[in-house]
Amino acid sequence: MRILDEKFRRNKSRYIFQTLLMGLSVMGILFLLDTISEAAVIASFGASSFIVFTIPHKKASRPKYIIGGNAFGVLTAFFLHIFSLITGLNGSKYEIIYGATAVGLAMFLMIMTDTEHPPGAGLAFGLSLDGFDVRTAIITLLALILLSVIKKVLKPLLIDLL
């Protein structure tokens, strides 16, 4: 069993540099936006960060996918939240239904618009389960925009780690 793969051994300093860069970028964004809100939402942001910094030259890390997929996650959760307010169907059992619906609907919208980004479905799920919060949604999208800008600036220094 190999503990370290060949690509890592050849580019050890690049892997370490890029991983530290990702950690510092995420920390900076979270400090700048002064938020660590719902765990599921932050986990989704972390997953997007992983994609951006481990495969910066692949299609999946383009802003179209990072921002677009997460935007559909936010929109899906928002519309389900509005639906729950209009119908009065809310509470823990409905949150489960809304969470599952949010994942499926966000996935469908991403596929239809070619903005597939799995963490976007996770964001829809998190915003639906935790109770939709406009501030959290906006901050998350701003953080993803900042992440995309940081990636664009640093892209010449980054390699695909996977």
Side-chain angles (χ1 to χ4, degrees):
M1 179 171 114
R2 287 186 302 167
I3 294 176
L4 300 175
D5 80 357
E6 184 61 32
K7 189 175 178 185
F8 174 78
R9 278 186 263 158
R10 279 182 299 175
N11 298 296
K12 195 181 312 181
S13 62
R14 296 295 300 246
Y15 275 62
I16 292 168
F17 168 74
Q18 210 158 307
T19 303
L20 288 172
L21 204 54
M22 187 214 37
L24 291 171
S25 296
V26 170
M27 186 182 354
I29 289 168
L30 292 175
F31 273 124
L32 181 66
L33 297 176
D34 193 27
T35 186
I36 298 183
S37 54
E38 293 80 15
V41 173
I42 293 301
S44 174
F45 176 72
S48 292
S49 301
F50 177 86
I51 290 168
V52 166
F53 279 93
T54 58
I55 52 172
H57 300 281
K58 301 281 191 226
K59 180 173 110 167
S61 71
R62 292 180 188 160
K64 171 186 174 179
Y65 298 93
I66 301 294
I67 298 166
N70 280 292
F72 280 118
V74 167
L75 287 173
T76 301
F78 174 73
F79 285 117
L80 288 170
H81 174 69
I82 297 299
F83 177 80
S84 75
L85 293 176
I86 291 170
T87 62
L89 301 173
N90 39 27
S92 61
K93 69 179 176 182
Y94 291 108
E95 286 175 1
I96 293 169
I97 294 168
Y98 294 141
T101 303
V103 170
L105 188 55
M107 182 179 80
F108 177 75
L109 292 171
M110 285 185 256
I111 290 168
M112 295 303 295
T113 59
D114 189 31
T115 56
E116 302 89 349
H117 186 65
L123 180 60
F125 187 63
L127 287 172
S128 295
L129 286 183
D130 290 336
F132 188 84
D133 179 61
V134 174
R135 181 180 180 274
T136 299
I138 290 170
I139 286 173
T140 302
L141 290 175
L142 285 174
L144 291 162
I145 291 167
L146 279 171
L147 185 67
S148 293
V149 169
I150 289 169
K151 179 212 159 188
K152 184 165 180 67
V153 170
L154 298 176
K155 190 174 179 180
L157 304 173
L158 306 175
I159 62 169
D160 288 334
L161 302 178
L162 301 179

